[in-house]
Amino acid sequence: MKFRYHFQKVVDLKSNEKTQAEWMLSTAIGKLQTEEEHLIQLLNDRSNLIGIIQSATENTASVNSLQEMQRYVHHLDECISRKNSDVKHAQVNVQRNQTFLNGKMVDEKVWLGARDKAKINFQQEMLLREQNDLDEMATVRFAAKAGRAN
């Protein structure tokens, strides 16, 4: 007789939910990394532009040119501010997905534990049945020998 867990479909569902939560977390982490990379690029662009402005100031650049570069610095500052907000939202999303995954992992572990316990009980029951069968066979043999001896 083979072990069959009556709630195996629930166990499979819980495993699939955990896998899906892992994918969601992976996607959220990828999004966070992308946002962080964009932020770094914006910060680097701003830093480079500040260096260009300082160099242009020393080389007596036109006022219009300096104003145009300053407007672009202001634009980059706004982009950096928005990107910081995007990074914070992505971090919150990663944390939310991590919490969700942790819940799914616990859920799966509970169901796997229940299945393992049911399997152990099944195996113990099978061993007990085998032992009872062996005991019955021994009793029948003993009774048969005792009947022949009389």
Side-chain angles (χ1 to χ4, degrees):
M1 190 183 241
K2 187 177 176 192
F3 173 71
R4 284 187 35 152
Y5 187 54
H6 297 293
F7 298 106
Q8 185 59 44
K9 288 188 179 189
V10 176
V11 173
D12 295 342
L13 174 67
K14 296 303 177 183
S15 293
N16 289 339
E17 287 177 346
K18 184 193 81 166
T19 301
Q20 190 174 27
E22 288 171 338
W23 279 102
M24 290 169 57
L25 176 59
S26 177
T27 300
I29 289 171
K31 173 79 170 156
L32 173 59
Q33 289 172 339
T34 299
E35 296 294 354
E36 288 173 336
E37 288 169 4
H38 287 152
L39 177 60
I40 290 168
Q41 185 60 49
L42 287 169
L43 291 169
N44 286 339
D45 290 349
R46 185 186 189 283
S47 177
N48 290 339
L49 185 56
I50 294 296
I52 291 170
I53 290 173
Q54 288 173 346
S55 177
T57 304
E58 293 169 2
N59 294 330
T60 62
S62 71
V63 172
N64 283 342
S65 174
L66 290 174
Q67 286 177 332
E68 188 65 32
M69 285 189 271
Q70 193 57 45
R71 280 193 291 274
Y72 189 62
V73 167
H74 179 69
H75 169 72
L76 286 175
D77 287 340
E78 290 174 355
C79 291
I80 288 168
S81 176
R82 284 192 301 271
K83 194 50 67 179
N84 273 323
S85 177
D86 292 345
V87 167
K88 286 178 186 168
H89 288 301
Q91 288 170 336
V92 167
N93 193 33
V94 166
Q95 290 171 343
R96 188 178 316 125
N97 279 287
Q98 181 65 54
T99 301
F100 184 71
L101 173 58
N102 288 343
K104 293 300 176 185
M105 290 172 73
V106 167
D107 220 11
E108 180 192 39
K109 187 174 182 179
V110 166
W111 281 96
L112 287 173
R115 184 187 65 189
D116 291 344
K117 187 174 180 181
K119 186 174 185 178
I120 289 170
N121 288 341
F122 172 80
Q123 289 170 338
Q124 289 174 343
E125 187 178 309
M126 291 306 296
L127 288 173
L128 183 60
R129 282 184 189 175
E130 286 177 18
Q131 186 61 48
N132 287 341
D133 289 346
L134 291 174
D135 289 348
E136 187 176 326
M137 287 171 39
T139 302
V140 168
R141 284 185 185 161
F142 179 75
K145 283 183 183 181
R148 278 189 243 148
N150 288 337

